[in-house]
Amino acid sequence: MTTNKNSSEMDTGRRHFLAAIGGAGMLIGLSGTAYALRDEKIYIKTSGGALVVDLKKCMGCGTCMTTCSLAHHGKASVSLSRIQITQDVFKSFPQDIEMSTCLQCEDAPCVAACPVNANKASEDFGFVRDIDPAKCIGCMQCIEACPQTPKRVQWNPITRSAQKCDLCLNTPYMEEQGGIGGVQACKKVCPVGAIGFITELPEQNLPQSYVVNLRNENWAKTGKTIED
Amino acid sequence: MKKLKGFAGKILHIDLNNLTHHILPTEDYYEWGGGHGFGAKLFWDLCEDIEAVTDGRDPRNVITIAGSPFSGTNVPSAGGRCEVTNMSVGLIPRNRFTRSNFGGHFSSMMKHAGWDAVTVTGKAPYPVYIDVRNDHVMIREASHLWGKDTHETQQIIQEDVASVEVTSGWSGQLDGNSFGRTTQKASVLTVGQAGENQSALGCLIHGAGNAAGQGGSGAVFGSKNLKAISFIGTGAVEIADPEALIKARFITRDFYAADVDKSAAFAYPSLGGKPEAVTFSTMPTGHRVSSCHGCVNGCKQRNAIGYGNEVTCQTSLWYLGAVRSYKFGGDAKLSLSNRGLELTEDSLYAGDLANKLGINTYPIMGLIPWLQKMHAKGELGSGKEIHSELPYELLGTREFAEQFCQAIATGTDIGAHFIDGIVPGIESLGHGADVDNGTLHYPYYGMPEHGYDPRAELEWGYATLMTDRDMNDHGLNWIYWTVNLAKLEGINFPIPAETLVTRFVEKMAPYVQPNEVSAMDYASHNMYSEVLARQVQWINHYGRFWKNSALMCDFRWPDCVNTHREDLRGATGNDEVGEQVWWNAVTGEGISYVDGIERGRRIFNLDNAIWVLQGRHRDDAKFADYIYDQKMTHNKLPTYLWPATNEAGEWDYREMLGRQHSREGVEEWKSHYYRAEGWDIATGWPTRSLLEGMGMKDVADRLEQVGKLGSET
Ligand code: SF4
Ligand code: SF4
Ligand code: SF4
């Protein structure tokens, strides 16, 4: 397993206050180095990677979604996918497509909300925010806590637990090693390269900071805009 | 048969006579593969009196909308295709069981809702729509939707379906005893006003512009008082070997598909095609390419201009000639010599009109230049021999397109003549000679030319004669586009003709041997050869299974030539990412590439048996007179180059313009074909031994009852 160097270091200056101070004592007790205590405040260590997307490049094929669910669950599903592509085909470009990925938030409200530390920053895996299905008690608090629309934590009605993007850490049906430093199924499968991977998280307070431009001159030669 | 993965396990049968539904186990239909195979067998099983149903608008007609094991998966360019089968409307000399297909996200959503297909019989007493949410099926009153266009209808249904938000951005849908969640909108298939009015020109629309309509499926919905079918699903498709499926998809991405981050160089447009909108005028850069579920590289588009979303291929060009004519003079005949940006917006606008009203743009495209000509001659217009109040002097403008489309969809004004199709309409106006002499291009069965004249593109014409409609199979046809567009642009086509044809015949098992390159020789001296009959047999059987039943996209499969491979050998049939690799990974069945083609032969023979029951005879299989009587002089591109040899046997891309068919030649070719299929040469009917050899004794018995079994000798 590869972990990202930056994020595995303790004090890179990219630590964020963990809001749910009530649960934090328990978190520290359970989880050692994934959390840090400084200045009387609890921080979750920054994820070593996250997905970024190009909303003008995606063609809405949904291949990323069914491949995500295949890699994790062995079946093709949209509801079980940890990336959600939503479309309104009657809207004009570029408002017709939204790409919803987990932001691997620095202060991850979903992690903070979990009362049993099932949703955690995985210390052995570059601090990717990940849910252990065996520990999840199905309380749905992390789903409610995720501030994004649509929520980036999914409810799995079969296992009756919550799940979220783990950057493909736990992918029993994919030959390649996933996770930070490994392969992200959605990124690898996307026919047009509309999904990217970053190791330095962007500005957290700007909603559009995970949206990037992945189009180059070759894209322009197929008659489509490469402007932001 | 062992349980197969990939199938949802249930087929939904809607009986509109009684407004009831019930479930047919998919297991009973496994051997038919999905898609067309399901549709043909369901038609055979459920159509009460096949011989007596002579028009698709008969309530006894059975219309099936079917997915396949691939629907809803990431099998490249197969996950979102969907097959429609039904008795036709408006074909000559008689209607027959026919097919059409469409893409988008309908079949994928149907599968995620837990259904492999929906088949509809009977006629509702009042307008209804079908609303399926996972396993919950409702036949609902549709008076609030009747009269609405296809876009509005879908949006109203989608809003209703998504009304229960369980958490922000996710709607809740009952799923058995549990609650499923989805961020997706319902997938809806609907008719517009053309279908409601039971016009032969009516088609089914899903999304902004995915359409199925050749053969009049829109009229079938209308005749059943059926406005729309909607699915929302929160489930999953079970996969036999998910690891193999992901692996094959990654290999496809890395080694067979276009990677436009790396290169924009020429790519042969099957599996290796680039993500580009297939439109026929230059697109403004403010658009995205959009695709069906699971596509390896999309061919549709959505635009910044506010209209024309998914107006692709045919729909983008039906009005193009008219727009050019209005702007620059000349007639409204289609020509692609000038494809300037100044023609795009009005063409897309007109495409949108047709999609909203649910009009099949193939037949109306051919009509436009004829109307222009009749108006110019003073025979068409207000108070003229053919009375019409449409503003013909504005033909080529948006205003004319609006009024014309309204008239066609509602069967008013000029549209009143064409409710049963263009050719019957032209005949009833007393101008049938214009069909015979090729003023109007409707070369087979009263259907419009698909764009590929049978005098040039032999396989398109022949396969059409042997099937139900213009065959609509681009397996070989990309040759036309790539070679002739390159010529138009002044570019040297990069693949020598002999190399190209070799790559094709290598994949034509079991009917053509890898060294029989003459199967691709379109020279006049080879037009009626026996090997061309076997080539068409391969197209028909390959197509009936891998494309029409397994539902691999016609634009992307077969992949015979792939420019991302050093040896130019495509994916088709290979051990890495060939058709059977996907089938086996998804279903766990373990079949070969040729096994699939053999299944296609069986499906095709069931089709033929249905056509024979419906009155088909060898004598039906003929072109319009002009195909035999006149030389082909015009094409939408300046050339019609195709691989062919000269008298010395040398291969090149040679001009097909300037030639015609001979009646004797076509008859000779037909005899080769019937012999190859094992059909009676005199009648085209199948023999008992042929049908029994494919396990279809019941079909043979039925044909015998009506005296339509072919003779064994
Ligand atoms: S699930 Fe939501 S809250 Fe949690 S890390 Fe992802 S985006 Fe942030
Ligand atoms: S990185 Fe992996 S887990 Fe995350 S959305 Fe992509 S495929 Fe799913
Ligand atoms: S695979 Fe790529 S193009 Fe397709 S929906 Fe996902 S991000 Fe968009």
Side-chain angles (χ1 to χ4, degrees), chain B residues 532-553:
Chain B
L532 267 185
R534 284 186 280 121
Q535 185 241 62
V536 172
Q537 214 186 356
W538 177 77
I539 290 173
N540 285 341
H541 299 175
Y542 173 94
R544 271 302 188 264
F545 184 70
W546 290 116
K547 288 198 199 191
N548 308 153
S549 300
L551 300 180
M552 304 181 96
C553 174

Side-chain angles (χ1 to χ4, degrees), chain A residues 101-105 108-111 129 145-148 152-153 164:
Chain A
T101 57
C102 167
L103 309 182
Q104 304 292 344
C105 308
C110 63
V111 171
R129 284 80 174 105
C146 174
Q148 304 301 321
R152 308 303 149 90
V153 185
K164 66 177 289 300

Side-chain angles (χ1 to χ4, degrees), chain A residues 134-222:
Chain A
K135 279 192 185 165
C136 175
I137 55 170
C139 70
M140 300 194 192
Q141 290 195 46
C142 59
I143 300 180
E144 287 312 311
C146 174
Q148 304 301 321
T149 301
K151 303 281 187 187
R152 308 303 149 90
V153 185
Q154 302 85 41
W155 176 247
N156 183 327
I158 302 148
T159 58
R160 302 198 63 75
S161 58
Q163 60 172 53
K164 66 177 289 300
C165 172
D166 59 0
L167 297 173
C168 285
L169 195 58
N170 189 7
T171 46
Y173 302 98
M174 181 170 77
E175 211 174 80
E176 288 81 353
Q177 174 66 56
I180 293 166
V183 162
Q184 288 77 45
C186 57
K187 173 177 180 287
K188 185 168 169 64
V189 83
C190 176
V192 291
I195 303 170
F197 183 76
I198 50 165
T199 51
E200 283 283 330
L201 298 198
E203 173 56 55
Q204 294 288 291
N205 297 322
L206 291 174
Q208 286 303 296
S209 60
Y210 288 78
V211 175
V212 293
N213 185 342
L214 298 168
R215 286 154 287 143
N216 64 22
E217 282 305 315
N218 287 319
W219 191 256
K221 284 183 198 149
T222 61

Side-chain angles (χ1 to χ4, degrees), chain B residues 370-388:
Chain B
W370 187 81
L371 293 177
Q372 186 187 46
K373 199 166 148 186
M374 295 303 283
H375 178 251
K377 279 164 65 179
E379 293 177 32
L380 167 68
S382 185
K384 299 286 164 56
E385 189 187 320
I386 304 170
H387 173 76
S388 168

